[in-house]
Amino acid sequence: MKSKFLAQIFFVLAFLGILYGGLAVFILKPKEEVSYYENRKLAQKPAFSLEALNDGSYFDGWTDHFSDYAPGRNILLRLDAKWNLDVFRRPVVNEVVPVGGKLLAFNPVEPVDREAIADACAQMAYQVALFNEQVKASGGTFLYVMVPGQTAYLADHYPWYLSNRQERTQLEREIFRAELEKQAVPYLDAGDIYEALGHPEEYYSEADYHYTFEGAFAVYPHILNRVNELSGWNVKVYQEDEINFRVLENPFLGSYLRKVYNQWDSAEHAMIGRPREPVPFRRYESGEEIEAVCFALPNNGWQELSYNLYMGGDCAETVIQTDRPELPSLLVFGDSFTNPMETLLYPSFDEMHSLDLRHYAEKSLSSYAAEYQPEVVVCIRDYEALTEFYGNGTLF
């Protein structure tokens, strides 16, 4: 009888320990604002208001907050990803498709409306054409560079029963190119360059949306050669033997690998490259001088790296000055595909400004260009962003 009573006391105390121990961990544990693996902002404590209380969003906010900061959450999510990848072998895990030794993005099935796509392409091309005329009026040269994302580049890797967006992507690509030509906007399609080189798979990451450094370098000379052709400048185009390439020993944690909590075997390593003859420079972020580096590298060979190693990730405004006034100035804008390209472009210019309009909000791109008046402007956007009118698609 006594032993039964002691057992009941033990279970009650154990239950209370788990309950209040978890609560103590939730309260005392330092709160991170961003989930490293999920690459998103975590739900913060909701602000109280009568409106939020009445419509229920206040309590929903607390539910999201408790869920995001639950003790042991990352451990459970990691186990869940491992279970789904290795035991159940699900075709889609956390919106990622593991297939053929690669991790690809899951694409929901969507209708392909040719008329709507054509209208969006025409509207965007018109905006780009207006900006091109502005750059030309100030004596500058504009070049629009479109590049495949991993989804488009590895479309043939998707299993037949999942969407690879190929029909929509190709339609947008073809119509947008035609519209740019109609508007006399100079452009470069990296997809054509890759096809001419035999479509090497190493040009795109195994577990990230972006091209690799090799993929960026394959396009880089074509950008500068086209700029020289359009502008009459003769900026230096670095050849392969003028760059010190280095494969980093650190494990590379691509964005899709992070989505499955690094529970998928990957042997991918990132590459960087610097001119054999260094070009000294100063670097500024949003007006503040920072360390003059282009690669965010740890001091060891074991720490995981992400795509943010290039230029430190997506920065609102970056300025690199090389103090060579005989060379032209460059403004490059676009999504994160600009990041590795910036590390290759800056040595050929007196000054390089880089904008990511998803984060930069001080002024419009048009106003920025009018104030800065760069001699060369390059836009770099991926196929899936060609008709996105927000972020780097907002030019005025």
Side-chain angles (χ1 to χ4, degrees), residues 93-136:
V93 179
N94 296 347
E95 299 184 336
V96 170
V97 180
V99 61
K102 301 182 187 297
L103 294 179
L104 310 175
F106 170 73
N107 306 298
V109 176
E110 55 184 336
V112 179
D113 186 334
R114 185 183 183 90
E115 184 176 345
I117 290 173
D119 182 59
C121 286
Q123 290 185 50
M124 179 60 78
Y126 177 71
Q127 295 294 315
V128 174
L130 289 178
F131 182 69
N132 176 47
E133 290 303 317
Q134 174 188 328
V135 174
K136 288 169 59 179

Coordinates of all heavy atoms in Angstrom, one line a residue, residues 93-136:
V93 N 9.3 16.4 -48.2 CA 9.5 16.6 -46.8 C 9.8 18.0 -46.5 O 10.8 18.6 -47.1 CB 10.7 15.7 -46.3 CG1 10.9 15.9 -44.8 CG2 10.5 14.2 -46.6
N94 N 9.0 18.6 -45.7 CA 9.1 20.1 -45.4 C 9.3 20.9 -46.7 O 10.1 21.8 -46.7 CB 10.3 20.3 -44.5 CG 10.2 19.6 -43.1 OD1 9.1 19.2 -42.8 ND2 11.2 19.5 -42.4
E95 N 8.4 20.7 -47.7 CA 8.4 21.4 -48.9 C 9.7 21.2 -49.7 O 10.1 22.1 -50.5 CB 8.1 22.9 -48.7 CG 6.7 23.1 -48.1 CD 6.4 24.6 -47.9 OE1 7.3 25.4 -47.9 OE2 5.2 24.9 -47.9
V96 N 10.4 20.1 -49.5 CA 11.6 19.8 -50.2 C 11.5 18.5 -50.9 O 10.9 17.5 -50.3 CB 12.8 19.8 -49.3 CG1 14.1 19.3 -49.9 CG2 13.1 21.2 -48.7
V97 N 12.0 18.3 -52.1 CA 11.9 17.1 -52.9 C 13.3 16.5 -52.9 O 14.2 16.9 -53.6 CB 11.4 17.3 -54.3 CG1 11.3 16.0 -55.1 CG2 10.1 18.1 -54.3
P98 N 13.5 15.3 -52.1 CA 14.8 14.7 -52.2 C 14.8 13.7 -53.4 O 14.0 12.7 -53.4 CB 14.9 13.9 -50.9 CG 13.5 13.7 -50.4 CD 12.6 14.8 -51.1
V99 N 15.6 13.9 -54.4 CA 15.6 13.0 -55.6 C 17.0 13.1 -56.3 O 17.5 14.2 -56.4 CB 14.5 13.4 -56.5 CG1 14.6 14.8 -57.0 CG2 14.4 12.4 -57.7
G100 N 17.5 12.0 -56.7 CA 18.7 12.0 -57.6 C 19.9 12.6 -56.9 O 20.7 13.2 -57.6
G101 N 20.0 12.4 -55.6 CA 21.2 13.0 -54.9 C 21.1 14.5 -54.7 O 22.1 15.1 -54.4
K102 N 19.9 15.1 -54.9 CA 19.8 16.5 -54.8 C 18.5 16.8 -54.0 O 17.6 16.0 -53.8 CB 19.7 17.2 -56.1 CG 20.9 17.0 -57.0 CD 20.8 17.7 -58.3 CE 22.0 17.3 -59.2 NZ 23.3 17.7 -58.7
L103 N 18.4 18.0 -53.4 CA 17.2 18.5 -52.8 C 16.7 19.6 -53.6 O 17.4 20.6 -53.9 CB 17.5 19.0 -51.4 CG 18.0 18.0 -50.3 CD1 18.3 18.6 -49.0 CD2 17.0 16.9 -50.2
L104 N 15.4 19.5 -54.0 CA 14.8 20.5 -54.9 C 13.6 21.1 -54.2 O 13.1 20.6 -53.2 CB 14.3 19.8 -56.2 CG 15.4 19.0 -57.0 CD1 14.7 18.3 -58.2 CD2 16.6 19.8 -57.4
A105 N 13.1 22.2 -54.7 CA 12.0 22.9 -54.1 C 10.7 22.2 -54.6 O 10.5 21.8 -55.7 CB 11.9 24.4 -54.6
F106 N 9.7 22.1 -53.6 CA 8.4 21.6 -54.0 C 7.6 22.7 -54.6 O 7.6 23.8 -54.1 CB 7.7 21.0 -52.7 CG 6.2 20.7 -53.0 CD1 5.9 19.6 -53.8 CD2 5.2 21.6 -52.5 CE1 4.5 19.4 -54.0 CE2 3.9 21.3 -52.7 CZ 3.5 20.2 -53.5
N107 N 7.0 22.4 -55.7 CA 6.2 23.4 -56.4 C 4.7 23.0 -56.5 O 4.4 22.0 -57.0 CB 6.7 23.6 -57.9 CG 8.2 23.9 -58.0 OD1 8.6 24.9 -57.5 ND2 8.9 23.0 -58.6
P108 N 3.9 23.8 -55.9 CA 2.4 23.5 -56.0 C 2.0 23.5 -57.4 O 2.5 24.3 -58.2 CB 1.8 24.5 -55.1 CG 2.7 25.7 -55.1 CD 4.1 25.0 -55.1
V109 N 1.0 22.7 -57.8 CA 0.4 22.8 -59.1 C -0.3 24.1 -59.3 O -1.1 24.5 -58.5 CB -0.5 21.6 -59.3 CG1 -1.2 21.6 -60.7 CG2 0.2 20.3 -59.2
E110 N 0.0 24.7 -60.4 CA -0.7 26.0 -60.7 C -1.1 26.1 -62.2 O -0.4 25.6 -63.0 CB 0.3 27.2 -60.3 CG 1.6 27.1 -61.0 CD 2.6 28.2 -60.6 OE1 2.1 29.3 -60.2 OE2 3.8 28.0 -60.7
P111 N -2.2 26.8 -62.5 CA -2.6 26.9 -63.9 C -1.6 27.8 -64.6 O -1.1 28.7 -64.1 CB -4.0 27.5 -63.8 CG -4.0 28.2 -62.5 CD -3.1 27.4 -61.5
V112 N -1.4 27.5 -65.9 CA -0.6 28.3 -66.8 C -1.5 29.1 -67.7 O -2.0 28.6 -68.6 CB 0.4 27.4 -67.6 CG1 1.2 28.3 -68.5 CG2 1.3 26.6 -66.7
D113 N -1.7 30.4 -67.3 CA -2.5 31.3 -68.1 C -1.7 32.2 -69.0 O -1.1 33.1 -68.5 CB -3.3 32.2 -67.1 CG -4.3 33.1 -67.7 OD1 -4.2 33.4 -68.9 OD2 -5.3 33.4 -67.1
R114 N -1.6 31.8 -70.3 CA -0.8 32.5 -71.2 C -1.1 34.0 -71.3 O -0.2 34.8 -71.3 CB -0.8 31.8 -72.6 CG 0.1 32.4 -73.6 CD 0.0 31.8 -75.0 NE 1.0 32.4 -75.8 CZ 2.2 31.9 -76.0 NH1 2.6 30.8 -75.4 NH2 3.1 32.5 -76.8
E115 N -2.4 34.3 -71.3 CA -2.7 35.7 -71.4 C -2.3 36.5 -70.2 O -1.8 37.6 -70.4 CB -4.3 35.8 -71.6 CG -4.8 37.2 -71.8 CD -6.3 37.3 -72.1 OE1 -6.9 36.2 -72.3 OE2 -6.8 38.4 -72.0
A116 N -2.4 36.0 -69.0 CA -2.0 36.7 -67.8 C -0.5 36.8 -67.8 O 0.0 37.9 -67.4 CB -2.5 35.9 -66.6
I117 N 0.2 35.8 -68.2 CA 1.7 35.8 -68.2 C 2.1 36.8 -69.2 O 3.1 37.6 -68.9 CB 2.2 34.4 -68.5 CG1 2.0 33.5 -67.3 CG2 3.7 34.5 -68.8 CD1 2.4 32.0 -67.6
A118 N 1.5 36.9 -70.4 CA 1.9 37.8 -71.4 C 1.7 39.3 -71.0 O 2.5 40.1 -71.2 CB 1.2 37.5 -72.7
D119 N 0.6 39.5 -70.3 CA 0.3 40.8 -69.8 C 1.3 41.2 -68.7 O 1.8 42.4 -68.7 CB -1.1 40.8 -69.2 CG -1.6 42.2 -68.7 OD1 -1.6 43.1 -69.5 OD2 -1.8 42.4 -67.5
A120 N 1.6 40.3 -67.8 CA 2.6 40.7 -66.8 C 4.0 40.9 -67.4 O 4.7 41.9 -66.9 CB 2.7 39.5 -65.7
C121 N 4.4 40.1 -68.3 CA 5.7 40.3 -69.0 C 5.7 41.7 -69.7 O 6.7 42.4 -69.6 CB 5.9 39.2 -70.0 SG 6.4 37.6 -69.2
A122 N 4.6 42.0 -70.4 CA 4.6 43.3 -71.1 C 4.7 44.5 -70.1 O 5.4 45.5 -70.3 CB 3.3 43.4 -71.9
Q123 N 4.0 44.4 -69.0 CA 4.0 45.5 -68.0 C 5.4 45.6 -67.4 O 5.9 46.7 -67.2 CB 3.0 45.2 -66.9 CG 1.6 45.3 -67.3 CD 0.6 45.1 -66.1 OE1 0.8 45.7 -65.0 NE2 -0.4 44.3 -66.2
M124 N 6.0 44.5 -67.0 CA 7.4 44.5 -66.4 C 8.4 45.1 -67.4 O 9.2 45.9 -67.1 CB 7.8 43.2 -65.9 CG 9.2 43.1 -65.3 SD 9.4 44.3 -63.9 CE 8.5 43.3 -62.6
A125 N 8.3 44.6 -68.7 CA 9.3 45.0 -69.7 C 9.1 46.5 -69.9 O 10.1 47.2 -70.2 CB 9.1 44.3 -71.0
Y126 N 7.9 47.0 -69.8 CA 7.7 48.5 -70.0 C 8.4 49.3 -68.9 O 9.0 50.3 -69.2 CB 6.2 48.8 -70.1 CG 5.9 50.2 -70.2 CD1 6.1 50.9 -71.3 CD2 5.3 50.9 -69.1 CE1 5.8 52.3 -71.4 CE2 5.0 52.3 -69.2 CZ 5.3 53.0 -70.3 OH 5.0 54.3 -70.4
Q127 N 8.3 48.8 -67.6 CA 8.9 49.4 -66.5 C 10.4 49.4 -66.7 O 11.1 50.4 -66.5 CB 8.5 48.8 -65.2 CG 7.1 48.9 -64.8 CD 6.7 50.3 -64.6 OE1 7.4 51.0 -63.9 NE2 5.5 50.7 -65.1
V128 N 11.0 48.2 -67.1 CA 12.4 48.1 -67.3 C 12.9 49.0 -68.4 O 13.9 49.7 -68.3 CB 12.8 46.6 -67.6 CG1 14.2 46.5 -68.0 CG2 12.4 45.7 -66.4
A129 N 12.1 49.2 -69.5 CA 12.4 50.1 -70.6 C 12.5 51.5 -70.1 O 13.4 52.3 -70.6 CB 11.4 49.9 -71.7
L130 N 11.5 51.9 -69.3 CA 11.5 53.3 -68.8 C 12.8 53.5 -68.0 O 13.5 54.6 -68.1 CB 10.3 53.6 -67.9 CG 9.0 53.7 -68.6 CD1 7.9 53.9 -67.6 CD2 9.0 54.8 -69.6
F131 N 13.2 52.6 -67.2 CA 14.4 52.7 -66.4 C 15.6 52.7 -67.3 O 16.6 53.5 -67.0 CB 14.5 51.6 -65.3 CG 15.7 51.7 -64.4 CD1 15.8 52.7 -63.5 CD2 16.7 50.8 -64.5 CE1 16.9 52.8 -62.7 CE2 17.9 50.9 -63.7 CZ 17.9 51.9 -62.8
N132 N 15.6 51.9 -68.3 CA 16.7 51.9 -69.3 C 16.9 53.3 -69.9 O 18.0 53.7 -70.1 CB 16.5 50.8 -70.3 CG 17.5 50.8 -71.4 OD1 18.7 50.8 -71.2 ND2 17.1 50.8 -72.7
E133 N 15.8 53.9 -70.3 CA 15.9 55.2 -70.9 C 16.4 56.2 -69.9 O 17.2 57.2 -70.3 CB 14.5 55.6 -71.4 CG 14.0 54.8 -72.6 CD 14.9 54.9 -73.8 OE1 15.4 56.0 -74.0 OE2 15.2 53.9 -74.4
Q134 N 16.1 56.1 -68.6 CA 16.6 57.0 -67.6 C 18.1 56.9 -67.5 O 18.8 57.9 -67.5 CB 16.0 56.7 -66.3 CG 16.6 57.6 -65.1 CD 16.1 57.1 -63.7 OE1 14.9 56.7 -63.6 NE2 16.9 57.3 -62.7
V135 N 18.6 55.6 -67.5 CA 20.0 55.4 -67.4 C 20.7 55.9 -68.6 O 21.8 56.6 -68.5 CB 20.3 53.9 -67.2 CG1 21.8 53.6 -67.2 CG2 19.7 53.4 -65.9
K136 N 20.2 55.7 -69.8 CA 20.8 56.2 -71.0 C 20.8 57.7 -71.0 O 21.8 58.3 -71.5 CB 20.0 55.7 -72.2 CG 20.2 54.2 -72.5 CD 19.3 53.7 -73.5 CE 19.4 54.4 -74.9 NZ 18.4 53.8 -75.9

